[in-house]
């Protein structure tokens, strides 16, 4: 399908529609009860009821085959991810990690999209995609190295087709696009997914990735988790139109999904991935969700947002909602929850122990992998560094061994 | 004087805050812009309370887009404003690097002097705070290589206060590197006694045996080094450069002609760093005075390492003392 034709199927709502909250004149955040959830694809209400309507029918077919076991699996993923996240937050408080970026509240967006992926798909995360990493089979303890300060990455991106976390906002969306262009050139039917935040949507790199992916019809899904905040700045400080509508201007479809509804996230991502695989090009998915905690452990959200806002979102908790659904449909028994609780405790313990046992890096790691081919200056500085270290071990006379460069 | 009402004991970050407040009060054309500078007061709280007092159109929370922040600041300067923009951390200035290098730096020259670019770009920089990637770098040399930009870095609260005043008053773009690991260090600030010019280096400790040159976060370290060396009977002079571009070679020359030895200390990688420029010029100017080659202490030709290795990477007391010993041994 051509870009034109995908664009043609795009408009899911008219730009002027009220519920859309196109942003005009809306400068304050109403907090609880604000009605900024237009055209949300939702399959599961906060009360755990399945939604069926004309609007979501197109997407619902993508989860038609989901079994009770699948639902329990999604539930388990979300519970364990939240447990891991909580453990990391407390490890930061205990001084074991220098920093932590919590995903609390965003489990459905991450698990739903993450479970839609195939093994050969490739993921470009930001720094908060712990749930997606979980779906990719990246050992959660691997995510902690950079937050503990023992490395700047911590896993082989090609091991699980899960790229390294990217701290510079928005950069990875271009990498995802380029990777997707490569996939297309190879004639493969893999897809690529790039995660980013509502704040990131302001970056030039993100705009450029939209342009490139549209122009080259790249098989990439842009998965924006609009968690309402970019540190202290509300989404209104980044955009005056709902983010999913941005796609239209680039010539590909955008859709807003209830980011706290794991089923809807699974369905919409599957739909977008299918488009990519079919050669229909990029899609923008805006998962409308909420960051329930602080931006990172260094942040103080009380300076910029009201408690009631969080409370209103707690009522839409992604985990609670699926639990209600599972219980109402008799898809589980008490044993399931008890076992999961035990599993979750065990995960917490394992993570805690692994982090505490994580060794500090060898000092010479500074000079490792600076170049693939090696570099004379790095070799020289490593040797000077070694001599300098050695001087503490052996010398009593002043350490002349250390050279000048790099000292 | 010291106990005059205009003297306050302020943390370096707070000194910048008060300096910005003064500029906003005295000149309606001054604007503060950046990510999170409003309600939150910036991630380091440097702009704390300013939006509350001066409103959202003078203290502007911007979209998350550094190129946009600097690019629009250029436009505002063209319209007669004096924007002071905040880049949240050193490693995030690069999306704006294009605007700074290709536009901000050259506008005055290209307009044959008709256009002024009174833009201050504030960048908290440097390491030592245990942060993750891209939060600890010292990219000053990357900017110093570009003509048209002025680059300064205060080392103490008083300079932070006054250099910010002077940077805002400058009609040239100033990249204002703030030593984030010194944000919480307190010092006396006299808000009336105007200090020397923005680009003048300052002898912060007199000595006769060797000159230590530093700026920003490394000045305090060099003072500690001098104190430690004094216990061994070595009498070191410490020079706080304050400005990287222009660079006060005269003050370094004066000091080196007295002490005959020079060690330059900075956090940035040594290779092609500001120390290289200083070593070359001083060798040229003081060839017959020097008793030892100019030595440099700084970072390695390697990415800034993870937090648990930064003490190995950054110049510390021992590494500077080691260089001092080597220079003195010639
Ligand atoms: C280029 C760049 N500028 C600034 C920052 C500092 N920073 C880190 S996270 C963040 C907010 C990101 O918000 P958003 O994109 O909405 O993602 P979220 O953290 O909410 O998931 C900022 C400003 C950065 N990491 N990179």
């Amino acid at each position: 399908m051509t870009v034109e034709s995908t664009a043609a199927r795009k408009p899911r709502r008219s730009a002027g529609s009220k519920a859309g909250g196109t942003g005009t004149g809306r400068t304050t955040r109403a907090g609880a009860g604000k009605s900024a959830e237009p055209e949300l694809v939702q399959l599961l209400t906060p009360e755990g009821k399945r939604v069926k309507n004309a609007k979501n029918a197109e997407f619902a077919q993508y989860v038609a085959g989901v079994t009770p076991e699948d639902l329990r699996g999604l539930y388990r993923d979300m519970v364990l991810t939240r447990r891991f996240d909580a453990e990391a937050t407390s490890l930061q408080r205990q001084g074991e990690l220098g920093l932590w970026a919590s995903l609390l509240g965003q489990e459905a967006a991450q698990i739903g999209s993450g479970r839609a992926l195939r093994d050969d798909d490739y993921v470009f995360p930001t720094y908060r995609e712990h749930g997606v990493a979980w779906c990719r089979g990246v050992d959660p303890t691997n995510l902690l190295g950079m937050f503990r300060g023992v490395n700047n990455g911590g896993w082989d991106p090609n091991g699980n087709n899960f790229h390294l976390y990217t701290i510079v906002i928005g950069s990875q969306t271009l990498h995802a696009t380029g990777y997707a262009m490569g996939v297309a050139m190879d004639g493969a039917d893999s897809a690529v997914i790039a995660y980013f935040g509502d704040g990131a949507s302001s970056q030039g790199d993100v705009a450029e990735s939209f342009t490139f992916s549209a122009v080259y019809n790249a098989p990439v899904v842009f998965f924006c988790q609009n968690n309402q905040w970019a540190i202290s700045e509300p989404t209104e400080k980044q955009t005056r139109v709902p983010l999913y509508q941005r796609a239209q201007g680039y010539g590909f479809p955008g859709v807003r999904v209830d980011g706290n509804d794991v089923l809807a996230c699974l369905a919409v991502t599957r739909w977008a991935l299918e488009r990519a695989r079919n050669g229909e090009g990029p899609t923008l998915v805006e998962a409308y969700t909420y960051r329930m905690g602080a931006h990172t452990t260094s942040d103080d959200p009380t300076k910029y947002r009201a408690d009631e806002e969080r409370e209103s979102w707690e009522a839409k908790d992604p985990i609670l909602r699926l639990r209600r659904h599972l219980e109402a449909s008799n898809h589980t028994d008490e044993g399931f929850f008890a076992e999961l609780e035990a599993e979750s405790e065990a995960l917490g313990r394992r993570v805690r122990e692994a982090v505490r046992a994580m060794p500090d890096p060898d000092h010479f790691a500074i000079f490792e992998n600076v170049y693939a081919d090696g570099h004379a200056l790095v070799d020289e500085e490593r040797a000077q560094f070694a001599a300098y270290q050695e001087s503490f071990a052996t010398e009593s006379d002043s350490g002349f061994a250390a050279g000048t460069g790099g000292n | 004087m010291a106990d005059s009402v205009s003297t306050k004991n302020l943390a370096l970050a707070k000194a910048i805050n008060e300096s910005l407040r003064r500029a906003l009060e005295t000149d309606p054309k001054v604007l503060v812009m950046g990510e999170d500078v409003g309600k939150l007061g910036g991630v380091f709280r440097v702009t704390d309370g300013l939006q509350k007092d001066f409103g959202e159109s003078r203290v502007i929370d911007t979209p998350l887009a550094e190129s946009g922040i600097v690019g629009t600041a250029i436009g505002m300067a063209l319209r007669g404003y004096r924007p002071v923009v905040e880049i949240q951390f050193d490693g995030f200035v690069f999306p704006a690097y294009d605007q700074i290098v290709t536009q901000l730096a050259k506008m005055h020259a290209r307009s044959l002097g008709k256009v002024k670019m009174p833009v201050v770009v504030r960048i908290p920089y440097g390491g030592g705070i245990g942060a993750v990637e891209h939060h600890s770098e010292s990219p000053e040399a990357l900017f110093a290589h570009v003509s048209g930009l002025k680059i300064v870095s205060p080392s103490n609260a008083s300079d932070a206060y006054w250099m910010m005043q002077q940077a805002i008053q400058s009609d040239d773009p100033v990249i204002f590197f703030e030593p984030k690991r010194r944000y919480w260090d307190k010092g006396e600030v006299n808000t009336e006694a105007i200090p020397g010019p923005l680009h003048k280096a300052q002898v912060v400790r007199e000595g006769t045996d060797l000159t230590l040159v530093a700026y920003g976060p490394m000045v305090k370290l060099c003072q500690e080094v001098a104190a430690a060396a004094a216990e061994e009977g070595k009498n070191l002079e410490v020079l706080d450069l304050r400005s990287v571009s222009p660079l006060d070679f005269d003050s370094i020359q004066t000091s080196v002609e007295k002490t005959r030895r020079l060690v330059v200390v900075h956090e940035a990688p040594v290779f092609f760093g500001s120390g290289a420029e200083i070593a070359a010029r001083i060798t040229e100017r003081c060839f017959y005075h020097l008793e030892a080659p100019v030595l440099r202490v700084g970072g390695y030709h390697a990415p800034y390492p993870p937090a648990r290795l930064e003490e190995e990477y950054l110049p510390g007391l021992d590494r500077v003392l080691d260089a001092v010993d080597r220079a003195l041994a010639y």
Side-chain angles (χ1 to χ4, degrees):
Chain A
M1 206 187 275
T2 64
V3 171
E4 288 73 30
S5 62
T6 62
R9 58 186 283 195
K10 148 81 217 4
R12 304 195 171 279
R13 50 182 296 279
S14 64
S17 134
K18 261 229 164 80
T22 52
T24 355
R26 195 159 58 93
T27 50
T28 53
R29 300 179 62 77
K34 74 189 160 78
S35 59
E37 299 176 17
E39 289 300 293
L40 219 45
V41 177
Q42 189 185 65
L43 300 181
L44 212 52
T45 67
E47 295 71 40
K49 297 210 171 62
R50 279 298 300 264
V51 186
K52 283 201 173 71
N53 59 34
K55 187 180 68 189
N56 70 25
E58 179 185 2
F59 301 104
Q61 57 178 308
Y62 287 88
V63 289
V66 163
T67 64
E69 195 189 340
D70 293 335
L71 288 176
R72 284 193 295 272
L74 293 169
Y75 183 79
R76 174 178 172 272
D77 287 337
M78 290 198 288
V79 166
L80 294 181
T81 299
R82 180 171 289 188
R83 182 68 181 86
F84 163 69
D85 187 70
E87 194 62 42
T89 301
S90 55
L91 282 164
Q92 196 283 332
R93 300 277 179 246
Q94 292 157 22
E96 298 288 344
L97 301 177
L99 183 81
W100 183 245
S102 165
L103 69 13
L104 185 64
Q106 299 179 219
E107 294 86 353
Q110 297 196 12
I111 299 300
S113 60
R115 285 298 176 207
L117 300 166
R118 240 167 44 188
D119 281 353
D120 59 315
D121 294 338
Y122 212 103
V123 179
F124 287 85
T126 147
Y127 42 77
R128 204 190 290 283
E129 269 66 72
H130 321 312
V132 185
W134 170 265
C135 295
R136 298 308 283 175
V138 175
D139 190 295
T141 60
N142 281 345
L143 304 177
L144 299 171
M146 71 179 289
F147 293 100
R148 187 172 168 84
V150 302
N151 59 47
N152 282 334
W155 59 90
D156 171 7
N158 293 322
N160 305 68
N161 283 7
F162 185 79
H163 190 67
L164 299 170
Y165 276 180
T166 300
I167 302 270
V168 180
I169 301 294
S171 292
Q172 76 282 2
T173 58
L174 279 168
H175 311 158
T177 300
Y179 192 99
M181 287 162 66
V183 167
M185 282 184 239
D186 292 345
D189 80 335
S190 307
V192 178
I193 188 165
Y195 289 86
F196 59 103
D198 51 309
S201 71
S202 296
Q203 287 285 359
D205 277 6
V206 173
E208 291 176 27
S209 70
F210 287 0
T211 299
F212 273 69
S213 62
V215 166
Y216 296 105
N217 205 40
V220 60
V221 176
F222 295 106
F223 196 91
C224 176
Q225 286 169 86
N226 177 355
N227 65 11
Q228 313 302 322
W229 293 93
I231 310 190
S232 74
E233 298 192 9
T235 308
E236 287 85 345
K237 277 282 180 291
Q238 317 292 341
T239 182
R240 301 298 274 182
V241 299
L243 283 172
Y244 74 93
Q245 292 182 1
R246 289 258 180 103
Q248 188 173 8
Y250 291 88
F252 55 87
V255 57
R256 180 179 270 183
V257 60
D258 184 338
N260 286 17
D261 172 356
V262 71
L263 216 50
C265 289
L266 179 67
V268 168
T269 313
R270 279 181 173 169
W271 162 78
L273 290 166
E274 186 179 278
R275 292 188 73 256
R277 292 189 212 295
N278 290 344
E280 294 172 70
T283 309
L284 172 61
V285 175
E286 178 190 1
Y288 201 77
T289 180
Y290 191 69
R291 184 195 89 207
M292 294 220 262
H295 169 70
T296 66
T297 45
S298 308
D299 177 39
D300 174 12
T302 63
K303 295 217 38 150
Y304 55 81
R305 72 183 190 191
D307 289 346
E308 305 88 73
E309 186 184 276
R310 178 184 157 133
E311 285 155 23
S312 78
W313 278 92
E314 270 166 7
K316 304 182 222 171
D317 187 291
I319 296 186
L320 194 57
R321 144 176 355 195
L322 185 54
R323 181 171 181 137
R324 284 175 176 148
H325 177 69
L326 286 170
E327 286 175 339
S329 350
N330 285 324
H331 284 336
T332 52
D333 52 31
E334 259 318 301
F336 170 75
F337 295 110
E339 269 169 43
L340 186 53
E341 180 60 27
E343 191 182 2
S344 148
E345 277 316 302
L347 174 68
R349 222 170 17 252
R350 176 164 83 81
V351 167
R352 198 158 58 240
E353 282 159 13
V355 165
R356 294 201 171 130
M358 209 177 266
D360 277 357
D362 185 89
H363 293 170
F364 288 92
I366 291 173
F367 303 100
E368 274 166 26
N369 302 309
V370 182
Y371 294 89
D373 288 341
H375 188 289
L377 176 62
V378 177
D379 294 344
E380 186 186 319
E381 290 187 351
R382 186 195 290 108
Q384 285 163 1
F385 181 82
Y388 178 68
Q389 298 286 320
E390 191 68 15
S391 73
F392 289 101
T394 59
E395 60 112 63
S396 49
D397 48 53
S398 55
F400 293 133
T404 50
N407 256 312
Chain B
M1 189 58 166
D3 50 30
S4 106
V5 280
S6 54
T7 298
K8 302 178 184 172
N9 190 260
L10 297 176
L12 193 150
K14 182 70 178 156
I16 297 171
N17 177 280
E18 298 233 340
S19 188
L20 292 172
R21 174 175 291 280
R22 176 173 176 161
L24 286 161
E25 267 162 10
T26 49
D27 184 351
K29 294 293 183 188
V30 170
L31 305 172
V32 168
M33 304 167 56
E35 295 157 12
D36 303 294
V37 297
K39 265 196 185 147
L40 187 64
V43 291
F44 289 107
R45 309 292 184 265
V46 172
T47 55
D48 205 19
L50 298 180
Q51 188 180 68
K52 193 166 125 277
D53 295 340
F54 296 95
E56 289 188 23
S57 58
R58 307 243 2 242
V59 179
I60 304 168
D61 265 331
T62 64
L64 208 179
E66 287 76 8
S67 180
I69 294 170
V70 174
T72 55
I74 290 171
M76 290 187 203
L78 290 169
R79 183 70 195 174
Y81 286 90
R82 307 185 86 84
V84 182
V85 311
E86 174 175 301
I87 299 293
Q88 206 154 72
F89 278 92
D90 35 69
F92 309 144
V93 70
F94 297 106
Y97 194 66
D98 168 43
Q99 285 288 345
I100 294 173
V101 171
T102 68
Q103 306 302 319
L104 185 62
K106 296 177 169 58
M107 209 67 91
H108 186 67
R110 291 176 57 228
S111 67
L112 309 179
K114 298 290 181 243
V115 161
K116 311 259 187 275
M117 275 291 124
V119 176
V120 179
V121 181
R122 297 181 35 235
I123 309 178
Y125 84 122
I129 64 162
V132 293
E133 247 195 327
H134 309 300
H135 289 72
S136 305
E137 292 155 27
S138 300
E140 64 273 15
L142 297 173
F143 293 90
H145 198 66
V146 178
S147 54
L149 300 175
K150 292 179 171 180
I151 291 138
V152 301
S153 180
S155 70
N156 57 67
S158 174
D159 271 356
Y161 182 91
W162 280 109
M163 288 168 71
M164 180 56 76
Q165 289 296 304
Q166 293 166 323
I168 293 171
Q169 281 152 20
S170 167
D171 280 335
D172 285 312
V174 178
I175 314 293
F176 197 93
F177 280 107
E178 299 173 5
K180 67 171 88 85
R181 71 153 105 174
R182 306 292 181 220
Y183 267 152
W184 302 276
D185 288 4
K186 288 193 157 187
E188 293 296 317
V189 178
N190 186 327
T191 55
E192 267 159 32
I194 301 175
L198 180 56
H199 303 291
K200 180 114 184 69
Q202 209 163 15
V203 176
V204 292
R205 180 187 175 113
E206 304 241 10
T208 51
D209 298 342
L210 178 144
T211 301
L212 282 174
V213 159
Y215 50 86
M218 291 286 94
V219 173
K220 186 176 177 187
L221 175 72
C222 288
Q223 287 171 305
E224 288 163 5
V225 167
E231 287 175 18
E232 299 169 6
K234 297 163 193 156
N235 189 0
L236 309 188
E237 180 145 305
V238 180
L239 200 60
D240 179 355
L241 278 184
R242 302 170 75 250
S243 173
V244 173
S245 179
L247 213 150
D248 182 2
F249 289 106
D250 290 347
S251 293
I252 309 177
Q253 179 171 355
T254 305
S255 178
V256 169
E257 285 177 358
K258 177 172 69 166
T259 66
R260 295 168 172 266
R261 288 176 172 84
L262 176 61
V263 173
V264 189
V265 184
H266 53 62
E267 290 190 14
V270 162
F271 190 60
F272 274 82
S274 46
E277 183 61 37
I278 295 169
R281 297 261 179 164
I282 291 304
T283 304
E284 217 173 286
R285 287 183 176 218
C286 307
F287 189 68
Y288 293 107
H289 286 94
L290 284 169
E291 298 280 357
V294 180
L295 300 184
R296 292 166 290 158
V297 185
Y300 300 104
H301 190 61
Y304 194 90
R308 303 245 169 177
L309 286 179
E310 68 179 338
E311 290 309 321
E312 307 296 334
Y313 176 92
L314 290 167
L317 199 73
D318 284 331
R319 275 174 65 202
V320 181
L321 279 170
D322 181 66
V324 166
D325 286 344
R326 279 186 290 121
L328 287 170
Y330 275 91

